[in-house]
């Protein structure tokens, strides 16, 4: 038996959601050490948040770019710095394939750098679409552009595959594998410690809130905060809001919502604690993409503070209701769903619409085949 030479795989991680969804892929590749040499590049887009997730999974990054301190959140500067620094990493490691996840500027820039260098690109969570290039911005453009550059497309659902086929992506380069976020969630449920939060109280329901997206910042975010304040007046509820450290979110949230009855602001929670909070919540109000997926696995109802979603499967399953990002719609639907929860009418069972938790294994097997690592 002759084993082929090791293939080098570089995983790019910028944000906390990327860290969550790439962690199980990295662990799967690490277990196949006889086939792959695998390294992680942490761009630093959400450095502390991403590092905490990697720590949870006992993973360490091999490259640290520290990009956010230099870019100051400016998209043009962020992209140009990422291209330059990632090109240096590619020259040093010389990977056979670069894996990117989702739709961030880190993913887009890494794919572009790999494309320029003639390196194969694998796109984890490929094929999501809203068909509105401005919403969400710049994520929708990023994922469409990624599909034009990528060689391998790891689609989470059949609908995502359909979108890719419609865009003339060769079917042999697409695999429907489920979402790696499900893999991470199931692993986190095994690793987490089942503890109580100090704010838990018998008979009081919890509305978990997370808001951070670019389209929900500025005056829109101020309106969302005003709506949360109104919703917090409903008896028997506690609104728990782990506030994103983004400078366009954190100070405004604390100015408008701190020290209010029935409204608790927290710093970002460690991943395991956040999963624990998801499990204990009765209703979720969010603009997050990943939470839409996690809710279907955990059987939790979600009010989505967005005008469109690239995860229509979550809406179709009955777990997610889009409420837009205007005060009136959020308050109306929020009040209605809180009332339903009080009456025990918000029952959404767990579903496997985003996979069974074996996406990382499927990605591993696909890469073994397509990168020529099979035994001979």
């Amino acid at each position: 038996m002759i084993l082929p030479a090791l293939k080098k795989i570089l995983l790019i991680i910028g944000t906390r959601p990327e860290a969550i969804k790439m962690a199980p892929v990295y662990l799967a590749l690490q277990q196949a050490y006889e086939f792959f040499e695998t390294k992680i590049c942490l761009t630093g887009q959400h450095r502390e948040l991403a590092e905490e997730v990697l720590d949870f999974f006992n993973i360490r990054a091999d490259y640290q770019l520290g990009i956010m301190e230099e870019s100051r959140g400016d998209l043009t500067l962020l992209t140009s710095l990422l291209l330059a620094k990632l090109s240096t990493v590619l020259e040093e490691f010389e990977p056979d394939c670069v894996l990117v996840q989702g739709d961030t500027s880190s993913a887009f820039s890494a794919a572009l750098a790999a494309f320029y260098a003639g390196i194969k690109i694998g796109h984890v969570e490929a094929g999501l679409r809203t068909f509105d290039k401005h919403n969400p911005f710049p994520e929708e453009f990023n994922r469409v552009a990624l599909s034009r550059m990528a060689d391998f497309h790891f689609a989470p659902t059949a609908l995502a595959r359909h979108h890719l086929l419609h865009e003339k992506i060769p079917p042999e380069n697409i695999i429907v594998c489920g979402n790696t976020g499900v893999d991470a969630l199931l692993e986190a449920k095994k690793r987490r410690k089942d503890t109580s939060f100090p704010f838990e109280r018998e008979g009081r329901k919890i509305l978990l809130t997370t808001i951070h997206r670019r389209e929900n910042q500025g005056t829109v975010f101020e309106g969302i905060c005003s709506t949360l304040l109104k919703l917090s007046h409903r008896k028997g509820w506690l609104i728990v809001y782990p506030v994103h450290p983004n400078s366009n979110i954190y100070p405004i949230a604390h100015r408008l919502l701190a020290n209010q009855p029935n409204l608790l602001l927290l710093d970002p929670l460690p991943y395991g604690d956040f999963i624990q909070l998801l499990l204990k919540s009765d209703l979720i109000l969010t603009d997050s993409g990943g939470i839409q997926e996690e809710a279907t696995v955990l059987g939790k109802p979600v009010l989505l503070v967005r005008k469109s979603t690239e995860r229509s499967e979550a809406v179709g399953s009955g777990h997610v209701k889009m409420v837009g990002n205007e005060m009136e719609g959020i308050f109306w639907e929020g009040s209605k769903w809180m009332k339903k929860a009080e009456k025990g009418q918000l029952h959404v069972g767990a579903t496997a619409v985003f996979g069974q938790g074996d996406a990382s294994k499927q990605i591993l097997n696909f890469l073994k085949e397509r990168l020529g690592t099979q035994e001979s």
Side-chain angles (χ1 to χ4, degrees):
M1 181 179 68
I2 300 173
L3 290 176
L6 290 177
K7 297 294 184 178
K8 294 182 178 181
I9 308 289
L10 180 66
L11 279 66
I12 307 297
I13 294 175
T15 65
R16 174 186 168 107
E18 285 174 289
I20 291 169
K21 293 181 175 183
M22 287 295 241
V25 178
Y26 176 80
L27 293 175
L29 288 165
Q30 280 290 87
Q31 291 176 1
Y33 57 86
E34 69 273 32
F35 299 110
F36 298 113
E37 179 185 356
T38 308
K39 291 190 176 184
I40 286 179
C41 177
L42 193 63
T43 68
Q45 199 170 336
H46 292 170
R47 184 178 62 82
E48 292 181 359
L49 297 180
E51 283 183 338
E52 182 279 317
V53 173
L54 296 182
D55 286 343
F56 179 82
F57 289 103
N58 298 317
I59 297 171
R60 295 290 180 272
D62 301 281
Y63 300 96
Q64 293 264 14
L65 302 187
I67 209 75
M68 188 51 73
E69 291 83 356
E70 296 181 59
S71 69
R72 301 181 299 279
D74 178 84
L75 281 176
T76 302
L77 184 56
L78 174 65
T79 303
S80 61
L81 286 169
L82 280 167
L83 275 173
K85 294 199 172 190
L86 286 165
S87 295
T88 300
V89 173
L90 296 180
E91 288 176 8
E92 179 181 330
F93 183 46
E94 297 183 334
D96 297 284
C97 182
V98 170
L99 291 184
V100 299
Q101 193 281 326
D103 51 25
T104 67
S105 295
S106 291
F108 167 74
S109 300
L112 186 57
F115 177 71
Y116 286 161
I119 298 168
K120 291 190 180 299
I121 301 159
H123 185 197
V124 178
E125 198 178 79
L128 278 63
R129 298 289 185 269
T130 64
F131 302 102
D132 177 355
K133 70 178 181 180
H134 297 293
N135 194 12
F137 176 87
E139 289 84 359
E140 177 70 5
F141 167 78
N142 286 345
R143 51 181 166 244
V144 172
L146 276 164
S147 293
R148 306 318 307 170
M149 292 186 283
D151 300 278
F152 311 133
H153 307 260
F154 303 110
T157 65
L159 180 59
R161 179 180 185 272
H162 171 78
H163 293 155
L164 293 168
L165 291 174
H166 183 72
E167 295 170 8
K168 309 302 182 185
I169 302 298
E172 64 270 19
N173 293 340
I174 307 169
I175 177 175
V176 178
C177 58
N179 197 296
T180 60
V182 177
D183 301 24
L185 176 60
L186 296 180
E187 180 62 27
K189 287 180 70 177
K190 296 177 188 175
R191 296 185 182 215
R192 71 185 174 88
K193 296 178 181 178
D194 193 2
T195 57
S196 297
F197 293 103
F199 52 80
E200 286 186 65
R201 185 188 304 165
E202 181 135 7
R204 181 164 67 171
K205 296 190 177 298
I206 293 176
L207 170 61
L208 171 61
T209 298
T210 73
I211 303 291
H212 73 283
R213 298 186 73 88
R214 189 177 295 268
E215 63 267 28
N216 285 336
Q217 295 176 13
T219 56
V220 173
F221 182 64
E222 291 181 358
I224 293 170
C225 287
S226 297
T227 306
L228 288 173
L229 191 57
K230 288 177 65 177
L231 290 172
S232 71
H233 295 154
R234 193 172 187 92
K235 292 181 180 180
W237 284 83
L238 174 67
I239 297 178
V240 181
Y241 182 5
V243 184
H244 197 283
N246 186 300
S247 60
N248 294 321
I249 294 290
Y250 192 89
I252 298 172
H254 279 264
R255 174 169 57 84
L256 297 177
L257 301 176
N259 303 314
Q260 296 293 332
N262 307 320
L263 212 162
L264 178 63
L265 300 184
L266 302 174
D267 286 336
L269 292 172
Y271 179 56
D273 290 347
F274 186 75
I275 297 303
Q276 183 82 349
L277 183 55
L278 276 175
L279 287 164
K280 292 177 179 289
S281 298
D282 299 280
L283 180 61
I284 302 163
L285 182 78
T286 186
D287 60 3
S288 165
I291 291 177
Q292 294 176 64
E293 297 153 355
E294 291 163 342
T296 67
V297 179
L298 300 177
K300 296 292 180 177
V302 174
L303 295 174
L304 184 62
V305 186
R306 291 171 60 177
K307 295 179 179 179
S308 62
T309 179
E310 61 280 12
R311 294 167 173 87
S312 55
E313 299 93 339
V315 176
S317 70
H319 291 76
V320 174
K321 168 76 174 180
M322 276 195 297
V323 300
N325 60 5
E326 296 178 358
M327 295 175 60
E328 184 176 349
I330 298 171
F331 181 73
W332 171 258
E333 293 292 347
S335 300
K336 184 168 68 174
W337 280 48
M338 291 167 84
K339 185 176 181 180
K340 285 183 178 181
E342 292 162 5
K343 293 182 176 181
Q345 297 173 347
L346 271 187
H347 296 299
V348 289
T351 70
V353 65
F354 291 110
Q356 301 285 346
D358 62 349
S360 300
K361 183 178 180 180
Q362 292 192 58
I363 291 170
L364 169 63
N365 291 334
F366 184 93
L367 290 174
K368 279 184 182 180
E369 177 184 345
R370 297 302 297 272
L371 294 178
T373 64
Q374 302 288 31
E375 298 174 1
S376 60

